[in-house]
Amino acid sequence: MGDLVILQKAELFSWWEKIQNKTDRMIRDIGDKSPHVSVSGIYDDMRIDWWTSGFWPGMLWIQHEMTGKEQYRSAAWNWDARIEQCFIINSNLHHDVGFQFLPTAVVKHRLTGNEDARRIALGAANFLAGRFNLKGQFLRAWNQEKTGWAIIDSMMNLSLLFWASEQINDPRFRQIACAHADMVLSQFIREDGSVHHIVAFDPETGEVEKYLGGQGYGPFSSWSRGQAWTIYGMANTYKYTKDIRYLRAAQQVAHYFISCLPEDHIPHWDFRTPDPINEPRDTSAASCAASGLIEIAHLLPPEEGRIYQQAAEKIIKSLTEHYATLDEPDYQGLLREGTGNKPAEQNVNVSLIYGDYFYVETIAKLLGWSNRIF
């Protein structure tokens, strides 16, 4: 992409050094916990089958690859095996196994050649493929009574299927991923580039029954993290398929996202609320979108990709200067003001491990890291 247009290398290296210092302290303080939410500077310990369990080890693997330091590799090593136990015990694994096994088993195999990690990741891909509904051409989302539900978050899990297809030269995984992505093109993305969170299908016929607001304000609102999942997920799908429809969809949603950002470039939790000025921000949506925007930039010629690169850098600069905790060594969490689930009033104005992960991932990309996890 050429020279950075907003951020200077020295500035990025300074942030990266502070991230490492914080991570070193968090390794010591977090131990074997599976962090999800940090309310007052202390990360919780969520159950291992929770969808966020892969992000902390994912942060560690990126830093290991960037620095070569053994402490990151050692702290990340056993996470794929720990999460795999959820296939054996009674658990609630679902569509988000991509979030759990891409940053653990897949990257572990890629960086170390560990064959057990490859086996674990292929098992997760088989599990995800088994959730495909033939009539509706979608990957089922959650479990329990939600048999016909599909959610936009699943776009980020498709990379697990594309990876498996390449690993064992089996087109079925790729076909399922593309079918789901095609369904998202037709049922989730609106003409203006905004996106539904949940589409409920009749699981027997595949017909759309209704749209649901989910973690957004309402069925036809615009949940900002859902926009970010779409930007990144569609860019990834184009990267694996070279089907221009997916790249154009990523650009369409990115244009909408960028146009909705407030002055400091950090989105509110939903772009379509009655009083957006007084609504909380979501720094996790910001960091995920920034990483996805960089993917779009790298998939286009420099003169076309520049606007996405610039947008990503503006977001990261604002996150670091106004929302990050890089100079607070005792605070567990890298970004404040994440919003998990505003309609349920859960995890509002907190640090979220996935927000932290995509923040680390984006800065690593800006420093030249190219061995992608998602």
Side-chain angles (χ1 to χ4, degrees), residues 8 14 21 23 158 166 196 247 254 257 298-299 319 326 359:
Q8 301 300 314
S14 173
N21 291 337
T23 304
L158 299 187
E166 292 177 351
H196 294 288
L247 180 57
F257 185 94
H298 281 270
L299 293 168
L319 283 174
L326 301 187
Y359 178 69

Side-chain angles (χ1 to χ4, degrees), residues 19-20 24 31 43 60 119 163 165 203 222 265 305 367 369-370:
I19 287 171
Q20 286 184 69
D24 292 345
Y43 259 119
L60 299 172
R119 175 192 60 78
W163 172 85
S165 192
S222 180
H265 309 291
L367 286 169
W369 176 70
S370 59

Side-chain angles (χ1 to χ4, degrees), residues 110 232 239 294-295 298 365 368-374:
R110 185 179 296 154
Y232 201 160
K239 181 172 62 179
I294 289 175
E295 290 305 307
H298 281 270
K365 288 178 181 180
W369 176 70
S370 59
N371 194 6
R372 303 297 196 246
I373 288 177
F374 286 96

Side-chain angles (χ1 to χ4, degrees), residues 130-180:
R131 300 183 70 83
F132 187 66
N133 181 293
L134 287 173
K135 287 290 187 179
Q137 297 286 286
F138 65 88
L139 290 164
R140 176 185 173 178
W142 297 292
N143 299 322
Q144 290 77 50
E145 75 285 355
K146 304 173 182 67
T147 313
W149 286 22
I151 64 172
I152 197 60
D153 317 41
S154 292
M155 282 302 304
M156 288 296 292
N157 293 285
L158 299 187
S159 293
L160 181 63
L161 297 177
F162 286 120
W163 172 85
S165 192
E166 292 177 351
Q167 281 291 306
I168 60 175
N169 194 28
D170 188 335
R172 293 175 305 149
F173 297 100
R174 175 192 175 97
Q175 290 162 0
I176 289 172
C178 289
H180 183 83

Side-chain angles (χ1 to χ4, degrees), residues 3-299:
D3 294 336
L4 296 172
V5 293
I6 294 169
L7 302 173
Q8 301 300 314
K9 286 284 188 180
E11 191 173 26
L12 288 165
F13 279 120
S14 173
W15 297 347
W16 187 252
E17 184 177 5
K18 291 178 180 180
I19 287 171
Q20 286 184 69
N21 291 337
K22 286 209 65 161
T23 304
D24 292 345
R25 194 178 186 97
M26 287 168 68
I27 289 173
R28 185 196 70 190
D29 294 342
I30 290 175
D32 290 333
K33 292 197 299 185
S34 179
H36 172 219
V37 176
S38 173
V39 178
S40 56
I42 303 295
Y43 259 119
D44 62 354
D45 184 13
M46 183 55 77
R47 65 180 196 266
I48 199 69
D49 67 341
W50 189 247
W51 72 277
T52 61
S53 58
F55 290 110
W56 168 238
M59 289 169 57
L60 299 172
W61 279 118
I62 291 173
Q63 292 181 70
H64 168 65
E65 185 178 7
M66 289 282 286
T67 68
K69 292 181 179 179
E70 175 60 29
Q71 70 253 36
Y72 303 128
R73 180 181 185 274
S74 177
W77 185 262
N78 288 326
W79 276 90
D80 58 335
R82 289 180 62 189
I83 302 172
E84 185 198 20
Q85 292 303 303
C86 297
F87 287 121
I88 301 170
I89 62 175
N90 186 28
S91 72
N92 196 40
L93 292 179
H94 47 60
H95 63 278
D96 277 333
V97 289
F99 278 137
Q100 293 169 295
F101 290 96
L102 284 162
T104 56
V106 171
V107 70
K108 178 179 176 179
H109 174 255
R110 185 179 296 154
L111 296 182
T112 72
N114 184 273
E115 285 299 315
D116 207 41
R118 179 177 182 269
R119 175 192 60 78
I120 291 171
L122 287 172
N126 269 303
F127 173 86
L128 182 57
R131 300 183 70 83
F132 187 66
N133 181 293
L134 287 173
K135 287 290 187 179
Q137 297 286 286
F138 65 88
L139 290 164
R140 176 185 173 178
W142 297 292
N143 299 322
Q144 290 77 50
E145 75 285 355
K146 304 173 182 67
T147 313
W149 286 22
I151 64 172
I152 197 60
D153 317 41
S154 292
M155 282 302 304
M156 288 296 292
N157 293 285
L158 299 187
S159 293
L160 181 63
L161 297 177
F162 286 120
W163 172 85
S165 192
E166 292 177 351
Q167 281 291 306
I168 60 175
N169 194 28
D170 188 335
R172 293 175 305 149
F173 297 100
R174 175 192 175 97
Q175 290 162 0
I176 289 172
C178 289
H180 183 83
D182 289 347
M183 179 278 300
V184 169
L185 290 178
S186 64
Q187 300 296 347
F188 275 83
I189 302 176
R190 308 176 191 124
E191 289 185 4
D192 65 352
S194 64
V195 179
H196 294 288
H197 183 197
I198 300 171
V199 178
F201 296 85
D202 181 324
E204 295 289 346
T205 68
E207 296 296 317
V208 173
E209 291 186 327
K210 57 184 174 180
Y211 300 97
L212 299 168
Q215 288 166 255
Y217 180 79
F220 294 92
S221 70
S222 180
W223 177 48
S224 59
R225 193 161 68 248
Q227 303 290 142
W229 295 145
T230 316
I231 292 167
Y232 201 160
M234 280 294 170
N236 284 343
T237 303
Y238 171 76
K239 181 172 62 179
Y240 280 104
T241 65
K242 297 301 182 283
D243 186 331
I244 195 65
R245 295 177 304 141
Y246 303 131
L247 180 57
R248 294 294 180 248
Q251 291 177 271
Q252 177 190 12
V253 179
H255 294 167
Y256 174 87
F257 185 94
I258 295 167
S259 74
C260 291
L261 291 177
E263 198 168 300
D264 72 348
H265 309 291
I266 308 304
H268 296 92
W269 70 280
D270 194 299
F271 292 129
R272 291 180 178 168
T273 56
D275 185 21
I277 294 176
N278 295 315
E279 294 287 349
R281 306 298 175 103
D282 183 9
T283 54
S284 74
S287 61
C288 177
S291 196
L293 289 166
I294 289 175
E295 290 305 307
I296 296 176
H298 281 270
L299 293 168

